[in-house]
Amino acid sequence: GVTFATALVCSLVVTGTHLALKPVQESWTNVARYRSVLDVSGLLPGTPASDRELAALMRQMEMRDVGISRTVNGEVKVTTEPVFLVWTDDRLQRVILPVSGQGMWAPIHGSLALEPDLRTVAEISFHDIGDTPGIGDRIQDPEWRAQWRGKVAFNDAGEAVLGTGDDPRHHIDAVAGATITSTAATKLVRDALGADGFGPFLDRLRRENLNPEGTGP
């Protein structure tokens, strides 16, 4: 009886603590996601910004909820993902897409910014990396992220080819010592740009011709 009572009390304490901390955990997840978005937005000042300033910068961007259709075990599932558009003087500067997928051991999340041509990578940032600390999280290294800038995400046929082949326009080197995680990160970005990801949304933006003669929509 004593053992049962102790186990019951402990389980209730653990469950109650989990439920109490869940809003805090979700809040920190949102903070990490928004910081990742701002990291690739081109809006951050050169000096550290306060939380109030970061919130103001987030409000400067246009957010669109985009439906993504994915086939899982033969069943089509639709999820809604937030996409951010950065404007300056009514001209589109960047489109920021959320990217996520499986790493070596755990999911990886990040943000990919495309230039106004919707083909060229402007910046990339990763956060909430569950892979081995000191190894998998090396995909956050500025040196590795820097090589993404200027890469062309699509071939002439409009297919997402970022990180494939030896063509220097598309190729992304893996991280030495973290090959599996960095390769997985490159693949999840490529998948996000494909037909089962944001490919149809990007096609719609191209048809909208967002920067005709220097004006926005």
Side-chain angles (χ1 to χ4, degrees):
V2 172
T3 302
F4 174 77
T6 302
L8 179 60
V9 170
C10 290
S11 65
L12 290 175
V13 170
V14 171
T15 301
T17 302
H18 172 73
L19 292 175
L21 292 178
K22 187 175 181 179
V24 177
Q25 293 170 337
E26 292 177 348
S27 176
W28 278 110
T29 298
N30 289 333
V31 168
R33 183 182 69 184
Y34 292 144
R35 286 187 179 276
S36 177
V37 170
L38 287 171
D39 276 347
V40 300
S41 68
L43 298 175
L44 284 177
T47 56
S50 66
D51 290 344
R52 184 186 297 272
E53 291 170 329
L54 294 178
L57 291 175
M58 286 297 300
R59 289 193 293 271
Q60 289 182 24
M61 294 185 284
E62 175 191 354
M63 189 183 79
R64 297 189 184 184
D65 288 327
V66 178
I68 302 296
S69 299
R70 294 188 176 92
T71 302
V72 180
N73 298 324
E75 181 180 353
V76 177
K77 295 185 177 181
V78 179
T79 59
T80 301
E81 301 286 349
V83 171
F84 296 89
L85 280 66
V86 181
W87 300 90
T88 300
D89 297 328
D90 293 329
R91 287 189 60 84
L92 180 67
Q93 298 299 319
R94 292 186 180 183
V95 174
I96 303 173
L97 309 173
V99 295
S100 62
Q102 183 65 33
M104 182 176 180
W105 304 113
I108 297 173
H109 302 276
S111 299
L112 172 73
L114 296 178
E115 298 285 3
D117 64 1
L118 305 180
R119 294 172 50 85
T120 307
V121 176
E123 292 282 354
I124 193 165
S125 176
F126 294 98
H127 65 92
D128 196 17
I129 302 168
D131 275 355
T132 308
I135 300 177
D137 56 10
R138 290 178 62 191
I139 61 175
Q140 294 175 301
D141 289 350
E143 294 81 5
W144 189 69
R145 291 169 50 193
Q147 70 169 315
W148 290 72
R149 299 183 194 123
K151 297 295 183 179
V152 180
F154 302 92
N155 61 17
D156 294 337
E159 301 167 324
V161 294
L162 187 63
T164 63
D166 297 323
D167 190 327
R169 295 178 302 167
H170 315 301
H171 182 73
I172 301 292
D173 290 326
V175 178
T179 303
I180 295 178
T181 299
S182 57
T183 300
T186 303
K187 181 180 182 302
L188 69 87
V189 172
R190 186 168 60 251
D191 290 345
L193 295 170
D196 291 333
F198 293 102
F201 169 72
L202 294 174
D203 287 339
R204 291 197 300 272
L205 287 185
R206 295 184 186 102
R207 290 193 295 270
E208 287 180 26
N209 192 18
L210 297 181
N211 283 345
E213 300 180 354
T215 61

